[in-house]
Amino acid sequence: MTRIGFFTRLLDDATAAERYRIATEQIVHAERHGFDSAWVAQHHFHAAEGGLPSPFVFLAHAAAQTSRIRLGTGVVTLPLEDPVRVAEDAVVLDLLSGGRVELGLGSGSTPASFLAFGERSEDRGRVFGEKVDALVAALAGGELGDPANHLQPPGRDLLGRVWQATFSSFGGTRAGRAGHGLLLSRTQPRPGDAPRRTLSELQLPIIDAYREALPTDVPPRILASRTLFVADSREEARHWAELGLRRAAVGFARAGQPPIGDTLDELIATYDTHVGTPVEVIESLARDSAAAEATEVAFQVHSVDPPHELVLRSIELIATEVAPALGWGTRALAAASAG
């Protein structure tokens, strides 16, 4: 059974405090409608990227207002963190939430942020690998600088809930060898010689590398993040998609990922967006062969970024119409059957 998640980047046009309030309300709403998990991303310094530097603090707040939904970091930028402190914070959050933490880790993508932490973006791959090993050793109960030092509270229960994010088959192999979960992005850059390759064409080789490297006794955990905005009418969905994607395309182009064309449909294709009525997005998601291989699909409205009340409505439509039609979401399916 494919689980469903809700992913928020905290990108509403509002103050930081209001962003946190809105995100919390959306997570509570997602739990109420049968979503299996909620995910947040860590970003330092830049409000346009999300402005959530402390995901464990925020998720502790969300945990206090929910009871069932799993709470994930998608991701902690590990090269900028002390791995022992990440392990400590994750364990405390796991205890406070009743064992609901999913610990997603990544190497980071904003080069300027590294400078504030005395790190070099160019080294992030190597540093990430070293710090993943250190974090896992801490969770496993290894010595921490002295024979008397061990993680307290202990972290062994989290060892089966570590995830690694990647854009590459190399990263898929690394996550598989470690027995970790695999986090796949909602969009990713295309090769310069193949700008029209689909997201599935980019991600299926990563999934294959991950499965091949995974120990035979470890079940795969594959989460595919996807941009999805569902509305009651096609006109409403495309109106907000036009506004959001044109705004986002400026930043994407600056980062070297320009759109393949200027029409709304070309923007939707370039940035891997599923948008429309329930019927339309069901058809669109059904063509996503990488998502079909996932054990969990996490939906976010970024880069469409419609108003809060429309995000809440999208959550409802995903749970009641989209997920059941695709056979996704254990609790959403049960709720739909009961209705």
Side-chain angles (χ1 to χ4, degrees):
M1 176 64 67
T2 303
R3 302 195 306 180
I4 59 170
F6 172 71
F7 197 126
T8 176
R9 289 277 301 277
L10 286 81
L11 286 164
D12 301 85
D13 185 13
T15 66
E18 181 68 0
R19 282 183 171 190
Y20 295 163
R21 185 198 68 76
I22 287 171
T24 304
E25 185 176 334
Q26 290 170 358
I27 290 171
V28 170
H29 200 65
E31 177 178 81
R32 187 178 300 128
H33 284 83
F35 277 65
D36 298 288
S37 63
W39 298 78
V40 296
Q42 180 184 47
H43 288 98
H44 295 283
F45 312 127
H46 305 288
E49 294 182 355
L52 179 61
S54 304
F56 295 114
V57 177
F58 174 79
L59 288 177
H61 172 70
Q65 300 191 48
T66 55
S67 61
R68 176 196 56 76
I69 197 166
R70 306 198 66 76
L71 303 168
T73 56
V75 295
V76 172
T77 307
L78 196 58
L80 306 185
E81 302 285 342
D82 183 306
V84 176
R85 287 291 298 118
V86 170
E88 290 180 324
D89 283 349
V91 169
V92 171
L93 173 61
D94 199 46
L95 289 173
L96 293 174
S97 66
R100 291 189 277 146
V101 169
E102 301 290 338
L103 182 55
L105 310 169
S107 61
S109 60
T110 308
S113 297
F114 284 72
L115 302 176
F117 295 90
E119 298 285 353
R120 292 170 9 112
S121 176
E122 297 86 345
D123 299 331
R124 65 182 183 270
R126 173 185 58 80
V127 174
F128 177 73
E130 293 171 355
K131 290 190 175 183
V132 167
D133 290 343
L135 185 150
V136 169
L139 291 176
E143 293 182 7
L144 301 173
D146 183 276
N149 292 345
H150 301 275
L151 206 65
Q152 180 57 39
R156 285 189 173 275
D157 287 348
L158 268 174
L159 285 171
R161 287 178 273 143
V162 177
W163 302 72
Q164 294 187 33
T166 186
F167 280 162
S168 70
S169 294
F170 170 82
T173 298
R174 178 174 57 197
R177 284 176 179 165
H180 295 163
L182 175 67
L183 293 176
L184 298 173
S185 178
R186 66 188 175 86
T187 189
Q188 62 185 78
R190 269 50 172 184
D193 59 349
R196 294 180 180 270
R197 289 186 69 184
T198 67
L199 188 60
S200 288
E201 288 173 335
L202 295 174
Q203 292 186 339
L204 284 172
I206 303 174
I207 294 172
D208 290 342
Y210 169 75
R211 289 184 181 276
E212 185 175 346
L214 199 66
T216 56
D217 59 340
V218 177
R221 290 180 292 127
I222 303 167
L223 183 143
S225 180
R226 292 296 184 263
T227 295
L228 174 65
F229 173 52
V230 195
D232 289 295
S233 74
R234 186 172 191 268
E235 293 73 24
E236 182 177 51
R238 290 176 69 84
H239 167 75
W240 291 106
E242 180 103 39
L243 292 177
L245 291 176
R246 290 203 182 281
R247 182 173 58 242
V250 176
F252 275 119
R254 193 180 301 122
Q257 192 179 352
I260 57 176
D262 193 53
T263 69
L264 176 56
D265 287 329
E266 287 169 326
L267 291 171
I268 287 171
T270 301
Y271 304 122
D272 307 297
T273 304
H274 301 273
V275 60
T277 63
V279 170
E280 289 175 308
V281 298
I282 289 166
E283 293 175 353
S284 177
L285 286 167
R287 296 192 296 269
D288 189 333
S289 53
E293 292 289 320
T295 57
E296 182 165 352
V297 182
F299 301 113
Q300 57 180 296
V301 294
H302 183 65
S303 295
V304 174
D305 297 319
H308 173 51
E309 61 274 11
L310 295 182
V311 176
L312 297 179
R313 180 58 177 156
S314 184
I315 288 171
E316 295 168 5
L317 291 170
I318 292 169
T320 59
E321 299 191 39
V322 176
L326 294 166
W328 295 349
T330 52
R331 293 178 183 272
L333 273 171
S337 298

